[in-house]
């Protein structure tokens, strides 16, 4: 059996642990070692153990969540030393279960919490709700939401927003609106805020109901909730995607009139809408306007314009913008390279014009820079790959990672194309 640590030393150890947790300088191995050391001191403090669990959960480490769960189990096995998990210990552990998409484990820990005699608080219910929504178990999330008052916990604003976001993100904005109406009936206890309205406006825009989204924004203002830049960006994006550029620019002017400064996402959305409508001159004009207003273009800004030029068969122009972004110190990403590769593959006589060689050259450069092919990024931007592009990427992956990775990559190509 491991030797115990003397009480005076134990006090110093716990103070040191708490200080290290506060300054955020702990590494994973040290944190785990300290956790086990504290369990060996006389009457160890659950506060210091909780501090370590919280610190570990916030680390940029791939095993942070499993480590917290493992240490929680170790703490449960060490009850003979006179320390027991607190409600905070259970809360941190349940949150980690949900964040690693193991909500089932979260409910197992919840059962242990009940058996320990604790009453579940809003933070724990919020973690479970979010975990269920992440796993798209929206029905189960709604059931849990309904049962919370029976377990002594009334839904708060964060819980309402979590459930509404889960519903809207999974294409059920109609039910999200019903939950919103329930919030309104709840009155002063839980009034919708800017997050609530932004979530609903986003859900309505994604489902193509932009007119209802505008009505929701009007209602938001009438309730005294001020729209922010995200509100306007969401609505402008919805209008662009529904090919209503006039409406998009109208709301752009509206946001400026309200004193809300457009950001890079606002300009990117408008430039993308112009490119997709074939108005490249308009896109260039708004790019210049963006720079004039002091909003710095980012990698997506350039990629949007490069895609527009590729789609208009202006490869020379596309490469000119590609070179300009590099000259400006903006590093092209996977989407930039894949957009150019696809543009080359869709243009004219591939062999005679040397575009096939250029496409392979770009692919190899992308790999040398450590940028892995990511067709899902293109699908998210609405850029379907041509068959030739797919073949180039497949051959490139075979040379890069070996034949064993081709089947999996081809499957991802097909999934991405079918979703775009």
């Amino acid at each position: 059996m491991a030797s115990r640590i003397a009480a005076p030393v134990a006090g110093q150890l716990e103070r040191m642990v708490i200080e290290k947790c506060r300054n955020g300088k702990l590494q994973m191995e040290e944190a785990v070692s300290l956790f086990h050391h504290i369990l060996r001191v006389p009457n160890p403090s659950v506060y210091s153990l909780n501090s370590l669990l919280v610190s570990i959960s916030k680390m940029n480490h791939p095993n942070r969540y499993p480590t917290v769960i493992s240490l929680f189990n170790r703490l449960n096995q060490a009850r003979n030393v006179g320390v027991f998990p607190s409600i905070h210990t259970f809360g941190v552990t349940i949150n980690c279960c949900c964040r690693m998409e193991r909500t089932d484990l979260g409910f197992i820990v919840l059962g242990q919490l009940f058996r320990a005699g604790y009453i579940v608080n809003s933070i724990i219910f919020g973690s479970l709700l979010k975990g269920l929504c992440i796993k798209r178990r929206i029905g189960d999330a709604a059931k849990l939401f309904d049962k919370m008052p029976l377990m002594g916990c009334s839904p708060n604003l964060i819980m309402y927003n979590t459930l509404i976001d889960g519903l809207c993100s999974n294409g059920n904005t109609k039910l999200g609106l019903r939950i919103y109406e329930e919030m309104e009936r709840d009155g002063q206890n839980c009034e919708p805020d800017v997050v609530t309205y932004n979530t609903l406006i986003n859900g309505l825009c994604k489902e193509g109901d932009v007119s209802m989204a505008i009505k929701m924004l009007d209602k938001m203002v009438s309730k005294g909730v001020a729209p922010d830049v995200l509100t306007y960006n969401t609505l402008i994006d919805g209008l662009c995607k529904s090919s209503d550029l006039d409406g998009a620019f109208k709301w752009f002017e509206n946001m400026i009139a309200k004193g809300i400064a457009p950001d890079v996402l606002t300009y990117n959305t408008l430039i993308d809408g112009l490119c997709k409508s074939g108005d490249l001159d308009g896109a260039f004009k708004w790019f210049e306007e963006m720079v004039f207003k002091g909003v710095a273009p980012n990698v997506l800004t350039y990629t949007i314009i490069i895609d527009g030029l590729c789609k208009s068969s202006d490869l020379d122009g596309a490469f000119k913008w590609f070179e300009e972004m590099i000259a400006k110190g903006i590093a092209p990403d996977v989407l930039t390279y894949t957009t150019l590769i696809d543009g080359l593959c869709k243009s004219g006589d591939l062999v005679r014009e040397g575009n096939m060689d250029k496409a392979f050259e770009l692919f190899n450069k992308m790999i040398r820079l450590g940028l892995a092919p990511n067709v899902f990024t293109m699908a998210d931007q609405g850029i379907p790959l041509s068959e030739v592009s797919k073949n180039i990427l497949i051959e490139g992956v075979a040379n890069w990672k070996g034949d064993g990775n081709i089947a999996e990559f081809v499957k991802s190509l097909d999934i991405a194309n079918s979703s775009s």
Side-chain angles (χ1 to χ4, degrees):
M1 185 174 183
S3 61
R4 308 291 288 175
I5 297 174
V9 177
Q12 292 174 10
L13 174 64
E14 292 189 354
R15 286 192 295 273
M16 177 194 73
V17 165
I18 292 167
E19 183 58 33
K20 280 179 173 284
C21 290
R22 282 176 180 163
N23 64 33
K25 293 181 180 179
L26 272 175
Q27 300 298 315
M28 177 64 79
E29 287 185 14
E30 183 184 11
V32 172
S33 175
L34 287 170
F35 191 94
H36 290 300
H37 271 74
I38 290 174
L39 288 179
R40 293 171 48 213
V41 308
N43 301 313
S45 161
V46 73
Y47 178 81
S48 57
L49 293 171
N50 286 344
S51 297
L52 284 168
L53 292 178
V54 170
S55 292
I56 292 169
S57 73
K58 292 179 178 179
M59 288 179 182
N60 185 21
H61 192 284
N63 293 323
R64 60 191 184 277
Y65 301 140
T67 301
V68 168
I69 296 166
S70 174
L71 293 175
F72 171 79
N73 290 332
R74 176 70 184 89
L75 176 57
N76 268 333
Q77 295 163 6
R79 294 190 175 203
N80 61 320
V81 302
V83 64
F84 301 91
S86 67
I87 185 72
H88 187 44
T89 320
F90 282 106
V92 173
T93 307
I94 289 171
N95 185 49
C96 288
C97 292
C98 295
R99 285 184 176 274
M100 63 184 284
E101 299 190 20
R102 288 298 307 272
T103 314
D104 55 328
L105 292 180
F107 278 101
I108 291 172
V109 177
L110 180 68
Q112 295 175 0
L113 181 153
F114 283 131
R115 287 193 293 275
Y118 290 113
I119 297 173
V120 189
N121 60 33
S122 60
I123 296 172
I124 291 172
F125 273 125
S127 294
L128 291 167
L129 271 176
K130 191 166 187 177
L132 289 168
C133 289
I134 289 171
K135 293 295 288 181
R136 300 194 172 190
R137 293 171 57 185
I138 306 303
D140 290 333
K143 288 176 185 176
L144 178 64
F145 187 85
D146 290 337
K147 287 180 180 178
M148 286 191 303
L150 302 176
M151 293 184 273
C153 183
S154 296
N156 61 21
L157 179 61
I158 294 173
M159 293 181 192
Y160 271 112
N161 284 344
T162 298
L163 183 57
I164 290 171
D165 181 60
L167 290 164
C168 293
S169 298
N170 287 279
N172 202 340
T173 305
K174 187 175 180 180
L175 187 52
L177 287 167
R178 282 171 54 187
I179 300 297
Y180 160 76
E181 290 165 2
E182 183 181 317
M183 286 181 77
E184 285 198 305
R185 287 194 298 272
D186 198 21
Q188 297 295 321
N189 295 326
C190 205
E191 292 185 350
D193 66 355
V194 66
V195 175
T196 318
Y197 286 105
N198 284 352
T199 303
L200 288 167
I201 290 168
N202 185 48
L204 289 164
C205 286
K206 282 186 175 177
E207 293 181 14
D209 195 351
V210 183
S211 60
M212 185 62 191
I214 292 171
K215 289 178 183 177
M216 184 58 63
L217 190 150
D218 290 338
K219 188 170 187 179
M220 172 184 189
V221 173
S222 71
K223 294 285 185 179
V225 179
D228 59 11
V229 66
L230 179 58
T231 318
Y232 283 100
N233 284 348
T234 302
L235 189 57
I236 289 169
D237 183 59
L239 288 161
C240 286
K241 282 185 167 60
S242 62
S243 302
D244 184 2
L245 286 176
D246 289 339
F249 281 103
K250 173 189 168 186
W251 282 99
F252 175 81
E253 296 298 335
N254 185 290
M255 74 184 288
I256 292 174
K258 297 290 184 184
I260 298 173
D263 61 10
V264 66
L265 179 57
T266 321
Y267 285 103
N268 283 354
T269 302
L270 290 170
I271 291 168
D272 186 51
L274 289 163
C275 285
K276 282 186 167 58
S277 70
D279 186 4
L280 287 170
D281 288 338
F284 300 150
K285 173 191 167 186
W286 278 94
F287 180 90
E288 291 172 3
E289 174 75 9
M290 169 185 193
V291 174
F292 178 75
K293 293 293 184 180
V295 180
N298 61 14
V299 62
L300 184 56
T301 320
Y302 280 95
T303 303
I304 287 167
I305 291 177
I306 288 168
D307 180 54
L309 288 162
C310 286
K311 281 186 167 59
S312 66
S313 301
D314 185 1
L315 284 175
D316 289 339
F319 275 94
K320 178 184 173 184
W321 279 84
F322 178 73
E323 290 161 6
E324 180 182 316
M325 72 185 292
I326 294 171
K328 296 284 186 183
I330 299 172
D333 62 9
V334 173
L335 180 59
T336 318
Y337 280 103
T338 318
T339 300
L340 279 169
I341 290 169
D342 198 54
L344 287 164
C345 293
K346 288 176 179 173
S347 65
D349 187 332
L350 284 171
V351 177
R352 184 169 57 83
E353 296 177 10
N355 288 341
M356 181 74 79
D357 291 337
K358 289 180 185 176
F360 274 112
E361 184 183 331
L362 279 173
F363 181 88
N364 290 329
K365 183 176 181 181
M366 179 170 70
I367 298 307
R368 286 197 303 273
L369 292 170
L371 300 172
N374 185 344
V375 292
F376 288 101
T377 308
M378 291 197 71
D380 289 341
Q381 294 295 322
I383 305 171
L385 289 168
S386 69
E387 286 301 314
V388 180
S389 311
K390 285 170 64 176
N391 290 334
I392 286 177
L393 290 174
I394 289 166
E395 183 172 336
V397 168
N399 292 332
W400 176 43
K401 283 193 170 183
D403 293 340
N405 292 272
I406 293 178
E408 183 179 347
F409 188 71
V410 170
K411 183 179 178 182
S412 73
L413 283 168
D414 292 336
I415 293 170
N417 262 15
S418 65
S419 65
S420 63

